[in-house]
Amino acid sequence: MPKKTITKNSVFVIFIAFVCALSLSCHHASSNERGNANTDYSKSPFDPPKVIGTIESKEINESSGVAVSKCQADVLWTHNDSNGGDFFFAVNAKGQKLGTWKIAGVKTADLEDVAAFRNKEGECFIYLGDIGNNSRKQGELTVFRVKEPAISPATAGSSKKEPLDSGPVETLKFSYPDIRHDAETLMIHPISGDIYVLTKRLSGASGVYRIKADFGSPSAVPAEKIADLSVPSIPNGFLTGGDIAADGQHVIVCDYFAAYELVLPSDTTNFDEVWNAVPVRVDLGARDQGESVSYGIDDKTVYATSEKANSPIIRLERRK
């Protein structure tokens, strides 16, 4: 097993043990329940989660991020975690493979999240966040952007051995204004195109950083700290994925246990006021190691996957 994978799994085991010690209720709970045995989902704005598919491809064994296409129906984009190579994949909601692409001409370190974006001209892009920094050795992190590939019957035959080319890749380097952070949550604002990265912390709230999408910058773009985000969980800042809905008014983030939705207050149009909203806990169902969550084409549906092979594809529908 690769050294980095061992390290990450060790952190996960230590994390679970830490949460169990705090909660005193871990006896035979699944990883989705640990630390949240008494979780109340009655205020969730979504109906209970449903498993609608299973990722079939053996190439996808650590679905660390998921993003629903804004241009093509029934297309979900995902990628593997660290040591997963410079690839990203498309599947449909049943989990059937739609294609494998290689990020052209780059070498990734630790891909942790993916986001989909549709600009005002109707063009769609895939953003891949090379933002993992477990050892805190990286002073600069990277976001890659490619035009969303078109899905066809022919693309399904691609593989890591014979991948499709992503086409031109835009690269954005960024750095934090304070200390070096680990992060697994990448979001793109659907209107401004600003990039948001939320840090992953065991000992405190997650830091929310905004980055201008200046892919033409010759030097690292400085990230601006906007807020701290604390979710109703233990730990309160151990975030592993997230997304902003197409309306720019809803945000969903997740950790290993559940998801948490924030809604922009009705009396403001300043998106960054959303980080002051009270997060509402959302049940994502049973996940072996949940690190990914995404809205559908609007705020009415949410999708989630999990690391480990043959991950379930989980869908939630907003209560009516």
Side-chain angles (χ1 to χ4, degrees), residues 97-101 150-159 164:
K97 178 182 173 183
L98 300 178
T100 300
W101 285 261
I151 301 298
S152 72
T155 62
S158 57
S159 67
L164 298 164

Side-chain angles (χ1 to χ4, degrees), residues 25-314:
S25 57
C26 272
H27 305 299
H28 299 288
S30 70
S31 64
N32 180 62
E33 299 167 328
R34 292 172 185 150
N36 292 290
N38 299 316
T39 295
D40 178 10
Y41 292 112
S42 62
K43 296 181 180 179
S44 171
F46 294 92
D47 288 329
K50 297 179 180 179
V51 174
I52 59 171
T54 300
I55 294 179
E56 298 176 356
S57 174
K58 294 181 180 179
E59 295 183 332
I60 306 171
N61 56 11
E62 289 187 286
S63 179
S64 183
V66 67
V68 176
S69 172
K70 305 298 190 295
C71 281
Q72 301 176 91
D74 196 23
V75 174
L76 282 69
W77 297 99
T78 190
H79 59 86
N80 287 322
D81 206 332
S82 56
N83 295 317
D86 312 316
F87 302 94
F88 61 100
F89 311 90
V91 299
N92 62 22
K94 293 181 179 180
Q96 297 167 327
K97 178 182 173 183
L98 300 178
T100 300
W101 285 261
K102 183 170 175 52
I103 311 171
V106 305
K107 182 65 177 176
T108 61
D110 190 358
L111 289 178
E112 287 292 356
D113 206 2
V114 59
F117 174 69
R118 180 182 177 126
N119 67 17
K120 60 183 179 181
E121 288 77 32
E123 299 175 299
C124 274
F125 297 85
I126 302 299
Y127 289 66
L128 293 146
D130 198 358
I131 56 177
N133 198 13
N134 291 324
S135 64
R136 310 300 196 278
K137 291 181 178 179
Q138 302 298 321
E140 295 180 358
L141 290 307
T142 310
V143 177
F144 300 107
R145 179 170 70 182
V146 300
K147 285 192 174 181
E148 181 174 315
I151 301 298
S152 72
T155 62
S158 57
S159 67
K160 290 173 70 173
K161 289 184 178 180
E162 296 184 358
L164 298 164
D165 192 303
S166 68
V169 179
E170 297 177 275
T171 301
L172 181 146
K173 296 282 186 181
F174 73 92
S175 59
Y176 295 104
D178 35 35
I179 62 174
R180 296 177 179 181
H181 294 284
D182 184 30
E184 296 189 5
T185 305
L186 174 76
M187 304 177 178
I188 313 300
H189 191 276
I191 300 171
S192 70
D194 287 345
I195 298 168
Y196 287 82
V197 172
L198 278 60
T199 63
K200 180 183 180 183
R201 296 190 62 200
L202 265 173
S203 58
S206 168
V208 180
Y209 293 83
R210 184 176 63 197
I211 306 158
K212 291 297 181 182
D214 187 1
F215 282 88
S217 175
S219 56
V221 176
E224 178 186 3
K225 187 170 185 182
I226 299 300
D228 287 308
L229 176 60
S230 178
V231 299
S233 184
I234 300 173
N236 63 324
F238 205 74
L239 302 184
T240 60
D243 194 20
I244 302 172
D247 63 2
Q249 298 181 17
H250 296 78
V251 170
I252 195 157
V253 296
C254 72
D255 56 18
Y256 290 145
F257 308 126
Y260 312 89
E261 188 176 52
L262 300 91
V263 180
L264 186 69
S266 58
D267 60 352
T268 181
T269 58
N270 178 9
F271 172 73
D272 286 322
E273 292 294 327
V274 77
W275 309 114
N276 297 323
V278 177
V280 177
R281 191 182 280 109
V282 175
D283 183 11
L284 288 181
R287 301 171 297 150
D288 281 334
Q289 187 171 326
E291 297 198 7
S292 54
V293 67
S294 172
Y295 284 106
I297 60 171
D298 53 30
D299 70 306
K300 302 297 188 296
T301 56
V302 165
Y303 292 78
T305 60
S306 174
E307 294 203 355
K308 308 296 177 65
N310 302 121
S311 162
I313 296 178
I314 299 165

